[in-house]
Amino acid sequence: MSAIWAEGLTKHFDEVRAVDGIDLDIAAGTIFGFLGQNGSGKTTTIRMLTTLLRPTAGRARVDGFDILDDARAVRNRIGVALQEAGLDDIQTGRELLTLQARLFGLRGGARRRRIEELLAIVDLEDAADRAVGTYSGGMKRRLDLAAALVHRPGVIFLDEPTTGLDPVSREGIWRYVNRLSVEDGITIFLTTQYLEEADRLAHDLAIIDEGRIIARGSPAEMKASIGTDVVTVEVEAPEALDHAAEVATAVPAVERVQIADGAAVVYVPDGARAVARIVIALDDAGIEVGNVSISRPSLDDVFLEATGHHLRVEEPAPVDGGAA
Amino acid sequence: MHSLSTIYFLTVRSLREAVRNPAQEVGNIFVPLFFFAVTVGSIGSIAADAFGIDNFTGFQVPVAILSAASSISASAGLGTITDIQRGYFDKLLLTPAPRSAIVLGRITADGVRSIIITGVIVIVGLIFRTGFDTGVLGVVLLLAGSFFFGMAYSGFNAAVALRTGSPQAAAAGGLLLFPLIFLSTAFAPKEVFADWLQLLATINPITYILEAQRSLIIEGWNWLDLLRGAAAIFGFGIASFTLTFLALRWRTS
Ligand SMILES: Nc1ncnc2c1ncn2[C@@H]1O[C@H](COP(=O)(O)OP(=O)(O)O)[C@@H](O)[C@H]1O
Ligand SMILES: [Mg+2]
């Protein structure tokens, strides 16, 4: 059975088509990555799937329950850590988890044991009795993750769990996420604007842009779908870029050339061999070549191919990460 | 059952918040007591003669109680907004707890805080020799009235908070009571008012709440006054809870 299923899920805010008819079918137990840049519709999708927001159109089921008809049952089965860690500064970490556990119906010793266990998992035992307001950004994310797990949900939603965190805290979150998937078999719906995060964590991936899913598959499948190497050629004179693209297209074996961010991106099998031919052809055409690089296709190339532009990462004002 | 336990847990949470922010509670009680002392001290003896009220100090105690209850309930609106802005409100909505019970938790906490602050004001009044004509049972009734009035007023603030999400609007909402107090019989009996003010005071529910409270303190058992006061609180509560639940429905759809 699919853990998350959606058909034509849509949300319009007046004129803005935040989410524009997306279909999902996510197998139980997978880490599903939802990759897209700022404003692409990731949070809005999560808010609909977690019953916080009513869709304009479309249907969805989570763990077999309809998000509209069985909202309460859905909430009982999901854990959610929203993009802005939704915490209360005045309670201590332990009080916050206790309230959360009580609202999910956990009682007595079972509740206390579960909270101890979670505090240990997210390494917050020492800080448990301090007010949440004194926590660092990384500690807050971890507490938020723990709060999402109190009731042992089968499906968890993590909205940009590492955005704004320092690399060490980020590694920490990745470790927890992997552990949840491997040890507990939890289905994880994770949004991100980081290619590396999607690549490292996701078994299955969808790329969303302007409210529509523009590519899907495993990271490996997606990269393989490009089918070639990627040669990126910068030229010294920006106005020569179009001409350079024309010249490169004519080089034997080149499949496609795309212009993005001031460079010509050349898709060609066996890039190492082709690069010399490309540079010579450009030189013959009187175009001065700058940096040239060859790479295996990355998710960024998948993104570029589907949208015509690179994925732009927008970092928020840095959160004080603290050690993970 | 689930609703009741949800209300209980969230009431406890809000009360804990109040305990950890004692400065705010002190402000909530200091301001009404200050006005109480100033009013009684400045016009007390003249007013007593002019309006024929023997116990003007006792006459003023309910005004202090109502304004204290209203400043308490204003902080509930702000608390709800803080929760919304931090995203904590969403976290609560993501639990299977009934959503109306989540909102009612904070409102109930305000009722409890109203009881406490009313108790303090009654004690201060007794120190100033207001007496209490209906005795212990009357005090219990007064505290119960404050509980329900606090909840009703808090519901109104919660509605503003849920609908606007704006701290400014919530603060403005908290001031609603002051014109209502001035347009009631807070400082003098209705008989001395100009006609237009007499009319406003007659249709103003605050008048009946004040009079019921006064009857307990300075008059003795007056069932008609008590019934009117209870009806006024009940009506105010119905109106404010209707707004609260409409605002909650708006926010969650
Ligand atoms: N409550 C809202 N009202 C109006 N527009 C919104 C609202 N929430 C999101 N949007 C718009 O919908 C689009 C998608 O937003 P969002 O889902 O937050 O994207 P992401 O999480 O991928 O950054 C954006 O253009 C955003 O401005
Ligand atoms: Mg987002």
Side-chain angles (χ1 to χ4, degrees):
Chain A
M1 188 186 70
S2 34
I4 301 170
W5 172 92
E7 194 178 74
L9 200 61
T10 300
K11 183 73 190 184
H12 295 174
F13 296 107
D14 300 323
E15 297 298 288
V16 182
R17 295 162 170 252
V19 173
D20 207 11
I22 65 173
D23 302 335
L24 295 167
D25 194 352
I26 300 170
T30 47
I31 301 181
F32 178 81
F34 206 43
L35 174 69
Q37 63 191 23
N38 229 342
S40 55
K42 303 183 295 296
T43 299
T44 305
T45 304
I46 284 200
R47 291 180 71 84
M48 287 191 282
L49 292 174
T50 57
T51 77
L52 284 177
L53 196 63
R54 255 173 187 279
T56 309
R59 294 186 309 151
R61 283 197 296 271
V62 177
D63 209 11
F65 292 95
D66 189 281
I67 57 165
L68 291 176
D69 301 340
D70 288 311
R72 181 82 67 91
V74 170
R75 278 179 234 143
N76 254 317
R77 281 164 180 76
I78 61 173
V80 187
L82 292 173
Q83 192 168 348
E84 312 286 335
L87 299 172
D88 164 23
D89 283 354
I90 295 167
Q91 298 183 83
T92 67
R94 192 190 306 278
E95 284 166 352
L96 191 133
L97 291 180
T98 302
L99 178 56
Q100 192 76 5
R102 284 184 160 139
L103 295 180
F104 275 102
L106 273 72
R107 297 283 177 262
R111 184 190 69 232
R112 278 188 293 274
R113 276 192 301 279
R114 179 63 178 155
I115 288 172
E116 289 313 317
E117 187 180 36
L118 283 171
L119 286 169
I121 291 177
V122 298
D123 295 319
L124 285 174
E125 291 139 306
D126 295 339
D129 296 307
R130 262 165 48 199
V132 174
T134 66
Y135 286 18
S136 70
M139 291 164 80
K140 284 185 177 172
R141 293 293 178 94
R142 271 143 53 206
L143 179 64
D144 202 35
L145 189 59
L149 297 173
V150 241
H151 54 297
R152 300 180 191 280
V155 180
I156 64 174
F157 293 84
L158 304 175
D159 195 7
E160 300 198 23
T162 67
T163 295
L165 292 189
D166 62 85
V168 180
S169 303
R170 188 170 291 171
E171 284 282 348
I173 300 277
W174 288 353
R175 249 193 341 268
Y176 301 128
V177 170
N178 255 323
R179 180 158 12 145
L180 288 172
S181 169
V182 174
E183 291 178 12
D184 304 319
I186 294 176
T187 308
I188 298 165
F189 186 106
L190 172 140
T191 76
T192 183
Q193 46 172 339
Y194 299 124
L195 298 159
E196 190 196 354
E197 186 161 283
D199 219 349
R200 281 268 302 263
L201 285 179
H203 306 141
D204 206 2
L205 191 63
I207 296 180
I208 180 172
D209 195 50
E210 295 180 355
R212 293 167 175 275
I213 290 178
I214 54 168
R216 69 175 83 210
S218 72
E221 282 165 5
M222 281 197 187
K223 288 183 277 192
S225 75
I226 300 258
T228 64
D229 287 342
V230 180
V231 178
T232 305
V233 183
E234 289 176 15
V235 297
E236 297 293 349
E239 62 278 7
L241 201 53
D242 285 334
H243 187 206
E246 265 170 51
V247 172
T249 310
V251 172
V254 166
E255 294 193 355
R256 239 161 14 85
V257 180
Q258 206 160 0
I259 294 174
D261 289 349
V265 181
V266 183
Y267 297 89
V268 59
D270 202 355
R273 259 175 216 280
V275 68
R277 290 199 303 273
I278 295 168
V279 171
I280 290 169
L282 290 172
D283 201 43
D284 287 350
I287 298 166
E288 223 177 311
V289 175
N291 276 329
V292 179
S293 63
I294 309 166
S295 58
R296 302 287 309 152
S298 69
L299 288 177
D300 190 34
D301 297 307
V302 177
F303 195 87
L304 175 63
E305 185 183 34
T307 65
H309 60 87
H310 286 289
L311 192 147
R312 270 182 297 277
V313 175
E314 275 170 54
E315 295 282 354
V319 184
D320 164 25
Chain B
M1 177 52 214
H2 200 171
S3 288
L4 286 183
S5 55
T6 300
I7 292 174
Y8 173 73
F9 295 137
L10 286 160
T11 301
V12 171
R13 177 214 162 203
S14 292
L15 290 176
R16 198 158 55 204
E17 197 175 281
V19 169
R20 289 186 189 163
N21 197 353
Q24 191 180 0
E25 300 301 313
V26 170
N28 283 336
I29 191 136
F30 178 77
V31 174
L33 281 180
F34 175 78
F35 282 110
F36 170 70
V38 168
T39 310
V40 172
S42 60
I43 63 167
S45 52
I46 310 173
D49 291 345
F51 308 149
I53 302 163
D54 306 333
N55 184 353
F56 190 73
T57 317
F59 186 85
Q60 280 303 307
V61 166
V63 180
I65 291 175
L66 287 191
S67 39
S70 76
S71 30
I72 273 180
S73 309
S75 61
L78 292 173
T80 302
I81 285 167
T82 308
D83 282 349
I84 291 172
Q85 288 176 336
R86 292 230 171 92
Y88 190 64
F89 194 69
D90 281 338
K91 171 149 279 145
L92 296 174
L93 294 182
L94 283 165
T95 69
R99 288 176 166 179
S100 50
I102 290 170
V103 175
L104 277 173
R106 231 183 226 294
I107 292 176
T108 308
D110 282 352
V112 174
R113 289 163 68 221
S114 293
I115 293 181
I116 295 168
I117 216 161
T118 300
V120 173
I121 292 171
V122 167
I123 291 167
V124 171
L126 288 173
I127 293 170
F128 281 88
R129 300 178 183 286
T130 56
F132 209 103
D133 279 14
T134 50
V136 174
L137 192 60
V139 173
V140 172
L141 216 56
L142 183 74
L143 296 178
S146 284
F147 176 69
F148 291 114
F149 177 76
M151 284 184 69
Y153 200 70
S154 174
F156 175 75
N157 281 302
V160 175
L162 289 169
R163 186 64 179 80
T164 65
S166 138
Q168 290 80 10
L175 296 177
L176 164 88
L177 192 71
F178 287 94
L180 285 179
I181 286 184
F182 281 101
L183 297 175
S184 74
T185 56
F187 301 102
K190 213 157 48 181
E191 292 73 38
V192 307
F193 287 175
D195 285 349
W196 65 273
L197 193 55
Q198 222 172 72
L199 176 72
L200 288 179
T202 308
I203 56 173
N204 182 352
I206 295 295
T207 297
Y208 300 99
I209 300 173
L210 281 170
E211 270 164 16
Q213 293 173 317
R214 270 177 193 150
S215 73
L216 289 172
I217 302 171
I218 61 177
E219 226 178 88
W221 295 105
N222 179 336
W223 296 108
L224 185 61
D225 276 359
L226 292 180
L227 210 62
R228 280 181 177 156
I233 292 176
F234 187 73
F236 186 34
I238 296 279
S240 93
F241 281 24
T242 304
L243 291 177
T244 310
F245 293 129
L246 285 176
L248 178 64
R249 216 173 59 204
W250 174 84
R251 180 157 289 278
T252 54
S253 68

